[in-house]
Amino acid sequence: MSSSPDTLLCFQHCEKVNVFCFTIPFSCPVCRSDLSGTDMTIPPFRIPSPLTCEPNNFSLLIKPTFGSFTRDFKRGDLLHIALSNSKSMIFEFNENGITSSSASSHLNWTNFLSISLSALPYRFKDLDKILETTKFMDIWAPDRYDDSFNNCFDYVISVLNASLQNPSFKLTKLQLTQDVISPAINKTIRLLSIIRNVLDNGFFLQSTLVEPAISS
């Protein structure tokens, strides 16, 4: 069984060891037996990746400010966040002001998290209209950008608050971080540690006698 280079596979052949790889090897990395003529304890299956190159519609998008998740990101690194509209167009704020584009035409969005707003514990309305309006607001002009006081996070929070169905409730940066961003990043980091081992060594071995590295 083979897969595309970015598809992570997992199987068990002998003992209680998960083998992670991108392509099933000819021999078992644990016992060195030929895999073509032996049964596996657990046949190969694909590990779903939270990373994507295509945003869903009405989603919160997260990527490292510098580099990529797969090769470069580590806990504590700066993040860049944005939003997508009903047509999956990306709206983001940076030193260039507001830009909106599709992921396929945006070279900076090739490896990121896309979290559906419908999965958040909040409800939104008129998001398309509000996103379009921000392109003409002075506060999101290029010269108003500030790394600390008026950045991509401020933009996302402002848009989400303007579109909340409950106008008496205001979402804060801390709430969005604790409820959405941190859990997504923590899950991604656990997966990235395995992916990087596979990229470096061709496979990664995980004993099932210890706490799993990936949780659903």
Side-chain angles (χ1 to χ4, degrees):
M1 180 180 181
S2 62
S3 65
S4 61
D6 58 351
T7 301
L8 187 64
L9 303 172
C10 179
F11 70 91
Q12 278 188 24
H13 174 254
C14 58
E15 302 182 11
K16 292 187 178 296
V17 178
N18 291 329
V19 180
F20 294 90
C21 55
F22 294 128
T23 302
I24 303 301
F26 293 108
S27 60
C28 174
V30 180
C31 69
R32 305 300 178 187
S33 298
D34 185 353
L35 291 178
S36 62
T38 60
D39 293 330
M40 296 187 183
T41 305
I42 299 178
F45 61 94
R46 289 178 173 83
I47 302 294
S49 173
L51 300 176
T52 182
C53 61
E54 291 290 339
N56 297 317
N57 64 341
F58 291 138
S59 293
L60 173 67
L61 313 177
I62 308 169
K63 72 180 186 72
T65 300
F66 306 106
S68 73
F69 267 120
T70 303
R71 276 297 189 182
D72 309 299
F73 183 76
K74 61 183 183 297
R75 193 182 299 278
D77 282 356
L78 295 175
L79 295 169
H80 181 62
I81 63 175
L83 294 167
S84 64
N85 68 2
S86 62
K87 297 180 180 179
S88 299
M89 297 286 289
I90 298 172
F91 285 71
E92 61 181 320
F93 177 59
N94 54 29
E95 60 274 9
N96 297 314
I98 298 293
T99 59
S100 59
S101 61
S102 64
S104 60
S105 64
H106 206 310
L107 297 179
N108 292 329
W109 291 93
T110 57
N111 184 250
F112 57 93
L113 295 169
S114 179
I115 304 171
S116 174
L117 294 180
S118 65
L120 273 60
Y122 325 105
R123 292 295 173 262
F124 306 95
K125 63 179 181 180
D126 300 329
L127 191 58
D128 275 338
K129 179 181 178 181
I130 292 169
L131 284 169
E132 287 293 334
T133 301
T134 61
K135 294 192 292 186
F136 309 101
M137 297 175 66
D138 288 342
I139 191 173
W140 309 123
D143 61 347
R144 299 290 296 275
Y145 178 81
D146 185 277
D147 283 341
S148 301
F149 302 108
N150 197 40
N151 54 35
C152 64
F153 207 156
D154 294 286
Y155 174 69
V156 166
I157 287 291
S158 176
V159 171
L160 292 181
N161 276 329
S163 60
L164 280 170
Q165 285 188 359
N166 182 0
S168 64
F169 175 78
K170 291 299 179 184
L171 185 63
T172 67
K173 290 183 179 180
L174 180 60
Q175 285 174 310
L176 188 63
T177 299
Q178 291 180 338
D179 294 347
V180 181
I181 297 176
S182 288
I185 293 297
N186 290 337
K187 183 177 181 179
T188 301
I189 285 176
R190 291 195 293 271
L191 179 63
L192 289 178
S193 65
I194 295 177
I195 290 175
R196 288 170 182 168
N197 272 283
V198 175
L199 287 171
D200 291 339
N201 305 307
F203 62 86
F204 174 70
L205 304 180
Q206 176 199 63
S207 172
T208 59
L209 300 178
V210 299
E211 183 180 352
I214 299 179
S215 59
S216 59

